[in-house]
Amino acid sequence: MLRLRVPDGQARRRARPRPRRRAGAQRPRTRRHHAHRPGRARPGTRRRPARPGPRRRAAPAARRRPARAAGRRRQHHPRRGVRRGVGYGIGIKNVGFSEGFDDYSTARVRLEVVGGEPVAVVHTAAAEVGQGLVTIQAQIVRTELGVEQVTVATADTTVGSAGSSSASRQTYVTGGAVKAACEAVRAAVLRRAGRDDVTLRGGRLVTEGGEVVADLVDVLGDRPIEETVEWRHKPTHPLDPRTGQGDAHVQYAFAAHRATVDVDVELGLVRVVEIATAQDVGRALHPQSVRGQIAGGTAQGLGLAVMEEIQVVDGLIRNPSFTDYLIPTILDVPPMHIDVLELGDPSAPYGLRGVGEPPTISSTPAIVAAIRAATGLALNRVPVRPEHLTGT
């Protein structure tokens, strides 16, 4: 069984050699020459970023993770037909709508006194689909207005559009709209108080030195303040039809994965033993949700790599239920080690980056690369099925 970490040359000589690869099989390697470097023009544009990009920082972070599963699992392989492989995958994903699309969201924030304390209500049309957007909206309002009681109204389009919950964009775009609406409310509060040298904190107007100027309840009285803001990120532009160049995307997200697999080459069975991943999230507004998104996206990539496939025969779907269309369960997901990199985007609200989709891009190729490393086979499709490994 190959070791993942070889301490010296003697141990390296003792390790079993890699299996011989078939003719034409591509040697697994991390394609570092494709990585985004500092000052390098972004894909699809000749424009260089205002600040250095991640430049391979996600990939080294994933590679530096100790491969704990390597030694621990060796004793469970009494059969010589089981081989271990390690593979890497690196992904880049645009965030938001692109190529000049008018990408915006609308938010309404109302600040009033209820039961003797300041209460904020935030209303958008953004769809919560499990990504944690309701929590983020309330978190932004608490941060910007300094109040504890926040109600997130049921999403609907009476307030305006928020666009779709796709393209890893809602925290960026709707979060930006909520932040802008809160800033408008705060400005109105300060105008009413006749002060421009204070901030809102703990339900009070407070100076930088911590001096309490007034209670927010007294400033509001029985006159609520409500602001509605339609917010847009910086503009994008269509690609030039002749050159294929252009400033088409507002932001990129970066992720890297390392996968360790055990492959029974006689039965064609694959078990993903461990996954390590690193992702640049800009700034983690809610760290627990961020890690959950990364873990969930990685699990989806695992499903694509070795399990999920719609079977179509003569135009008919043969596995139309989750009895036959298999998705990963908690028993299929291996130990997962996540490094969250916070390399803020200066043009985004709070420096954040979209998080949800990037893990699905690099996790699948990492797992397939690990299977290639274990078997020496030039696998070129997913999911990898037993017959692809046994040749039957």
Side-chain angles (χ1 to χ4, degrees), residues 212-235:
V212 176
V213 175
D215 285 338
L216 189 54
V217 169
D218 296 332
V219 175
L220 291 172
D222 58 357
R223 294 183 297 159
I225 296 176
E226 181 177 287
E227 297 288 348
T228 302
V229 173
E230 190 174 86
W231 189 86
R232 290 169 170 81
H233 57 63
K234 66 181 182 180

Side-chain angles (χ1 to χ4, degrees), residues 158-206:
T158 59
V159 68
S161 176
S164 63
S165 289
S166 61
S168 299
R169 63 181 285 279
Q170 282 293 6
T171 299
Y172 191 126
V173 183
T174 296
V178 172
K179 182 175 184 291
C182 287
E183 290 169 347
V185 169
R186 185 174 64 231
V189 170
L190 300 188
R191 285 195 302 269
R192 184 178 294 184
R195 301 289 296 260
D196 59 2
D197 58 342
V198 295
T199 187
L200 305 183
R201 189 187 312 157
R204 296 179 173 87
L205 279 66
V206 183

Side-chain angles (χ1 to χ4, degrees), residues 34-50:
H34 291 313
H36 192 59
R37 298 178 175 86
R40 184 176 180 178
R42 293 179 297 181
T45 175
R46 294 192 179 96
R47 180 178 299 179
R48 298 184 182 276

Side-chain angles (χ1 to χ4, degrees), residues 88 90 104 109 141-142 163 182 200 204 211 243 277 298 312 314 322 342 356 361 366:
Y88 296 88
I90 302 174
Y104 70 92
V109 174
V141 174
R142 289 190 180 99
C182 287
L200 305 183
R204 296 179 173 87
E211 178 187 357
T243 65
T277 179
T298 300
V312 180
D314 297 329
F322 287 124
E342 296 189 81
I361 296 174

Side-chain angles (χ1 to χ4, degrees), residues 311-332:
Q311 301 284 345
V312 180
V313 178
D314 297 329
L316 299 176
I317 297 178
R318 302 304 300 271
N319 56 340
S321 75
F322 287 124
T323 300
D324 304 304
Y325 181 90
L326 302 180
I327 61 176
T329 70
I330 190 64
L331 298 178
D332 301 302

Side-chain angles (χ1 to χ4, degrees), residues 68-92:
R68 298 184 182 90
R72 185 177 70 238
R73 297 287 299 176
R74 290 189 68 190
Q75 60 184 336
H76 299 300
H77 301 323
R79 298 182 64 242
R80 297 185 61 183
V82 177
R83 300 174 185 170
R84 172 153 292 175
V86 179
Y88 296 88
I90 302 174
I92 178 173

